[in-house]
Amino acid sequence: MTENTQQQTAPTTELPTQYAPAEVEGPLYERWVERGYFEADAKSEKPPYTIVIPPPNVTGSLHLGHAFEHTLIDALTRRKRMQGFETLWQPGMDHAGIATQNVVERELAKEGKSRHDLGREAFVERVWQWKAESGGQISGQMKRLGDGVAWSRERFTMDEGLSQAVQTIFKKLYDDELIYRAERIINWCPRCLTAISDIEVEYQDDEGELVSIRYGEGEDSLVVATTRAETMLGDTAVAVHPDDERYKHLVGRQIKLPLTDRTIPVVADTHVDPEFGTGAVKVTPAHDPNDFEIGQRHGLPNLAVMDERAVITVHGPFQGLDRLEARSAIVAALRAEGRIVAEKRPYVHSVGHCSRCKTTIEPRLSMQWWVKVGPLAKAAGDAVRDGKVKIHPQEMEKRYFDWVDNLHDWCISRQLWWGHRIPVWYGPNGEVVCVGPDEQPPAGEGWHQDTDVLDTWFSSGLWPFSTLGWPERTESLEKFYPNSVLVTGYDILFFWVARMMMFGLYAMDGTPPFHTIALHGMVRDQNGKKMSKSFGNVVNPLDWMDQYGSDAVRFTLANGANPGVDVPIGEDWVKASRNFANKIWNATRFALMNGATIEGELPPVEQLSATDRWILSRLNKTVAQVDAYYEDYQFAKLSDALYHFAWDEVFDWYVELSKTTFFAGGEQAKVSGRVLGEVLDVMLRLLHPIVPFVTEALWTTLTGRESLVIAEWPTDSGFRDDAAEAEIENLQQVVTEVRRFRADQGLQPGQKVPARLELDGTALAAHEAAIRQLLRLQPEGEGFAATATLPVAGATVALDLSGTIDVAAERKRLAKDLAAAEKEKAQAQGKLGNEAFLAKAPDNVVDKIRTRLAKADEDIARIQAQLANLPQA
């Protein structure tokens, strides 16, 4: 539906006296969905515009990060829909393997059961039941925010169509020898009992201990340092740098491994830094990724000494101990043998933890499935280098290249029950068969399917095309792939974005999944601090929506959204945005009550006043400016431009300047009413993508039309009037300067003052009535005495303050303020002129004093100007 076919009723001026978001937002959103405004038609001849939602976890709820990202995407898609594009914002959720399994396991624990009590099939059925009953609450919260997604197309990474896509691409990669099974070091969670991806590892500084241990005897000994003494039981070598003269006589020889009956070789490897510590490192190939690589280069055995729960499995005295218990016991045993050379406790170092359960990660040698990423990553890098895909802001390209150009093979198997099960069957005689979606798995005695499931990022990496029906060549896939833009946080550039790039180029014949990657930052608190439950600064956006309205939350988030930069947000800023929404409501209500209309054509230019021409010129410049900012994903700048145009120029100036015209009535009032209606019409359209609810309520009242969602986006008509803009700028300068002078003299805003305006010979002469109205200036009258004269913008404003202020008292007050400012200046100059002070004081202290000096200078100049403008006593 286009604007030309919108249902239309007679415009009305009736609006409630106050804007009540809670009464407006819910019904409006239901109406939008019922009328199908957000749906996308693959058969449409309109040009496509597609964005996929970064799929939130099915276990999740709307947090400020979601609200931020969704606001930006919704703004883009609403604008494109208004511009005539067939717009698809694709919704859906991720099955979130580990997170969801943990949630359901905790529910089972309340019943005194584990997943093993149920068995695999019954447990997976229980997860589906949980999803149906409890999952997906985020959908309702998205509606609260105003997300204009195509709900009829909602997808889930475990639904039948996406599962077929997963199996299809696994088979294709396997047949192309880009998927393989191998034993490698992975991140292992002893609590979740699965391999996890790098993104699921959170690093934090932990207090531990660094112990230095002597291996070998006498001259044939070396000292190694470790924070994980328990892994020494799995050492199969000590490594030194080939050029380290201290150890050349030991390279190739065997030395005794303490606490065991084994000897291990000393090997030379360039990985070792001879300047770090003793220049000798223990090599535990089964429990450290770097050691594994050294072991591969030197043919060392891989000796695993812990089971899946991080319990020691070897060497009698320590067997059966948890890794942390074993660490203390082994250090004590080494100390008893005189093997401990040094101990540093506490020793703070970075340790990886499972992001789900916070357990310390254990590097573990394990048989897993891997994607050979070399050719896929090269294609993903080349697509950006060749300009097929643009990263915005451009400075983020380097981070992208640093990642894809150095990408290691990707571990895609997880030891879970919830997820896409790996489509590989094993036979009784060692057969391995990968089964595609249209193939029957092998049957018969001894055949069984791999028990692992795929990493969640594997299925979410297919999201831009699997949601459109791939591997089938559907109408939706043909229409809406590739996506126009991906809007996501820079924190998952390396994980989700890179995987979508690799899979999209591979599956879609070299066509990347999106034209542009628009990266935004993270939401932080008003002090720039990361939001965390431990810091006590986490905010539920629904609380703010309840209190201030969804538009206020959206505008605050958009107004802080500079590309790739973190976004601070505080409640005071949301309050300010609520005030903005109220200002839009109240000013539009006033305008409607005073003749604002969109009926009929705009009057010809010769019938327009300078004020009318000024606001129309500013309106068109704002349209052009907002369009340019949208194309550059500059949400903060476009929000700021709209805020100042609406509040400062339309409400504070045009409406105020037009009041005298409206009150006078007649033809000019009708002209200005039509101009004001035009300005409101366009302004509400421009604001709609950011603040959709309040603008919808106002615009439908102003125009009588069906909905802003399907209205046309404003275009720059090209109308400019620089002379009118200069004329009104002069008027603004006069009003601003006189208002400042009045405030400096302590006059109340509504206090009337006799004044003589000398405007002859200037364009301001036509605005005398408006100037007097805005400044509360009375005619000079009999007995007028000009006690203060203000020359400004080519005009002169003479004021008679004799009956409004106590000049003597005001001079006394200002003299006191001047003395205080001069004292402050002298103190600051004294400190800045003291070389000894400057030599010792921190830079931030010196900067504060310089700021104080500058402020004192400003105060002195201001007070002296006020004194000069006072009437003579």
Side-chain angles (χ1 to χ4, degrees), residues 91-163:
M93 286 179 288
D94 192 285
H95 65 279
I98 294 178
T100 306
Q101 181 158 316
N102 282 349
V103 167
V104 179
E105 285 194 86
R106 284 196 294 270
E107 293 296 314
L108 284 174
K110 295 175 183 176
E111 304 169 15
K113 297 178 182 178
S114 73
R115 61 183 163 117
H116 300 285
D117 294 325
L118 271 67
R120 184 168 191 146
E121 288 188 12
F123 176 77
V124 170
E125 185 177 338
R126 181 69 176 262
V127 180
W128 278 107
Q129 179 184 341
W130 173 87
K131 177 191 178 290
E133 295 173 355
S134 308
Q137 62 174 314
I138 200 168
S139 297
Q141 296 166 343
M142 288 166 58
K143 294 173 182 178
R144 283 286 313 277
L145 187 66
D147 287 2
V149 299
W151 287 112
S152 69
R153 293 172 171 266
E154 187 174 12
R155 304 302 299 268
F156 179 54
T157 49
M158 287 283 286
D159 69 28
E160 183 178 351
L162 270 66
S163 296

Side-chain angles (χ1 to χ4, degrees), residues 39-42 88 90-91 150-155 467-468 476 480:
E39 296 303 324
D41 182 4
L88 170 60
Q90 172 66 53
W151 287 112
S152 69
R153 293 172 171 266
E154 187 174 12
R155 304 302 299 268
T467 52
L468 297 172
S476 290
F480 296 113

